[in-house]
Amino acid sequence: MRTLVLVFHPDLEGASRANKALVRAARELPDDTVTVRDVYALYPDGVIDVAAEQRLVEAHDRIVMEFPLYWYSAPALLKEWEDKVLAFGWAYGPGGEALAGKEIAVVTTAGGPESEYVEEDGGATMREVLSPYRMMARYTHAVWKEPFVVFESMELSDEALVTTGRKYQAFLTD
Amino acid sequence: MRTLVLVFHPDLEGASRANKALVRAARELPDDTVTVRDVYALYPDGVIDVAAEQRLVEAHDRIVMEFPLYWYSAPALLKEWEDKVLAFGWAYGPGGEALAGKEIAVVTTAGGPESEYVEEDGGATMREVLSPYRMMARYTHAVWKEPFVVFESMELSDEALVTTGRKYQAFLTD
């Protein structure tokens, strides 16, 4: 199982704390099983190399999309990645089977606690909030893996971040 | 009631058909009640004028986010708009009440039929898919208006597009 971790954080080396710890943990794993890419750093002007991204997806069995949850969704570049890379005739439509059978997983860090993600009083569960990604996986005939969610990501102690990193490594190599 | 229609279509004047018809209908409404902005055309490099966007939001009572549904979500620029314009201290946090009490509505065109948006067999309803926007409205203490959704948007006849445009006008002036 070869895993591609696509990290979408607009300031991973600067403002990020939780995602930086997750990326550090992922990068400790052997290169031949886990590939980690800081996508914002790769495309500072937002223009994605579609062919290169498609080749990378093709070369891996599991695609992990890692991002901080901003306004209940990923930062914009992940959406741009989806809209450009998941092309007609490649990800869907006639001959579009590039993702079929691959695993797709979302890894996200949320500032709020898990208790905020409830349906009561007009709220929404994390499952609902992440449903656009789940549906993308479904549409492309990929296998959806339950998301790895880090809640209260800005309040985690250094020790908690290390523990979370270990759990993330287990998630990535599962 | 002054309404701001923010249209997020990467090729509104080219590839769009349904959104173009919606925009045409919206532009027929009086300027002093409905302001229509083609946001992709305004920011071809994706760099949003945050202060200008904030002033426009402040000057309107209802914010309509119109977009084609790509991968169960808006094109990337809407997310960029949210992440930049809905700033701490303006849209949320201390003193962040710019959206409080304003109406927020989503208008979207989906290629698939309404019958595809069901929970059965691992699917998701349109309410679930659009939940990130609903939760954004909730978090900013805005008033969420039920979305205006055009299904099977690529199969609509010219006549159906005109009818839909009329309904959209009623939605925008309701």
Side-chain angles (χ1 to χ4, degrees):
Chain A
M1 172 79 77
R2 296 203 61 206
T3 298
L4 177 63
V5 182
L6 300 170
V7 185
F8 295 89
H9 192 299
D11 191 18
L12 184 63
E13 296 309 318
S16 167
R17 196 164 159 266
N19 278 281
K20 203 188 296 182
L22 293 175
V23 165
R24 193 181 302 130
R27 287 202 168 125
E28 287 172 8
L29 298 170
D31 272 3
D32 58 347
T33 56
V34 178
T35 308
V36 182
R37 282 165 71 79
D38 175 357
V39 188
Y40 267 92
L42 289 166
Y43 304 116
D45 58 0
V47 181
I48 291 166
D49 183 338
V50 172
E53 296 296 319
Q54 290 181 340
R55 280 195 303 272
L56 274 164
V57 169
E58 287 165 4
H60 290 81
D61 313 295
R62 180 194 284 154
I63 316 304
V64 174
M65 303 181 297
E66 180 193 325
F67 53 84
L69 200 68
Y70 295 163
W71 294 115
Y72 306 93
S73 185
L77 192 61
L78 169 52
K79 190 66 207 321
E80 186 69 7
W81 188 97
E82 287 184 271
D83 291 352
K84 293 288 161 63
V85 176
L86 305 183
F88 182 78
W90 185 81
Y92 69 104
E97 296 179 353
L99 294 175
K102 292 190 195 288
E103 284 188 6
I104 291 184
V106 159
V107 174
T108 193
T109 57
E114 188 162 8
S115 59
E116 272 183 13
Y117 292 85
V118 290
E119 280 190 75
E120 284 85 67
D121 301 322
T125 62
M126 188 58 79
R127 178 184 160 85
E128 281 176 88
V129 165
L130 296 179
S131 65
Y133 308 106
R134 184 167 58 82
M135 295 301 287
M136 179 272 280
R138 184 175 186 258
Y139 196 82
T140 58
H141 304 290
V143 179
W144 178 247
K145 205 169 143 73
E146 278 306 297
F148 182 93
V149 183
V150 181
F151 291 99
E152 297 181 279
S153 61
M154 288 178 291
E155 271 110 78
L156 295 182
S157 67
D158 289 345
E159 292 71 22
L161 284 176
V162 170
T163 308
T164 301
R166 295 272 170 277
K167 285 186 193 158
Y168 188 38
Q169 289 178 332
F171 178 86
L172 291 177
T173 53
D174 178 33
Chain B
M1 173 78 78
R2 297 204 60 207
T3 297
L4 177 63
V5 181
L6 299 171
V7 185
F8 294 89
H9 192 300
D11 191 17
L12 184 65
E13 295 309 319
S16 168
R17 197 166 158 266
N19 278 281
K20 203 188 298 184
L22 293 176
V23 165
R24 193 180 304 128
R27 288 201 167 125
E28 287 172 8
L29 298 171
D31 271 3
D32 58 346
T33 55
V34 178
T35 309
V36 182
R37 280 165 73 80
D38 175 356
V39 188
Y40 267 92
L42 288 166
Y43 304 117
D45 58 0
V47 180
I48 289 166
D49 183 337
V50 172
E53 295 297 319
Q54 289 181 340
R55 279 195 303 272
L56 273 164
V57 169
E58 289 166 2
H60 291 80
D61 313 296
R62 180 194 283 155
I63 315 303
V64 174
M65 302 180 298
E66 179 192 326
F67 53 84
L69 200 67
Y70 294 163
W71 295 114
Y72 306 95
S73 186
L77 192 60
L78 170 52
K79 192 63 209 321
E80 186 70 6
W81 188 96
E82 287 184 271
D83 291 353
K84 292 289 160 62
V85 177
L86 306 183
F88 180 79
W90 185 81
Y92 68 105
E97 297 179 351
L99 293 175
K102 291 188 195 291
E103 284 189 6
I104 291 185
V106 159
V107 174
T108 192
T109 57
E114 188 162 8
S115 59
E116 273 184 11
Y117 292 85
V118 290
E119 279 191 75
E120 285 86 67
D121 302 322
T125 62
M126 188 57 81
R127 178 185 161 84
E128 283 177 86
V129 165
L130 297 179
S131 66
Y133 309 106
R134 185 167 56 83
M135 296 300 288
M136 177 272 280
R138 185 175 185 258
Y139 196 81
T140 58
H141 304 290
V143 178
W144 178 247
K145 204 169 142 74
E146 277 307 297
F148 183 93
V149 183
V150 180
F151 291 99
E152 299 182 277
S153 60
M154 287 177 292
E155 270 111 80
L156 295 181
S157 67
D158 289 343
E159 291 71 22
L161 284 177
V162 170
T163 308
T164 302
R166 294 274 170 274
K167 285 185 192 160
Y168 189 38
Q169 290 178 330
F171 178 86
L172 291 177
T173 51
D174 179 32

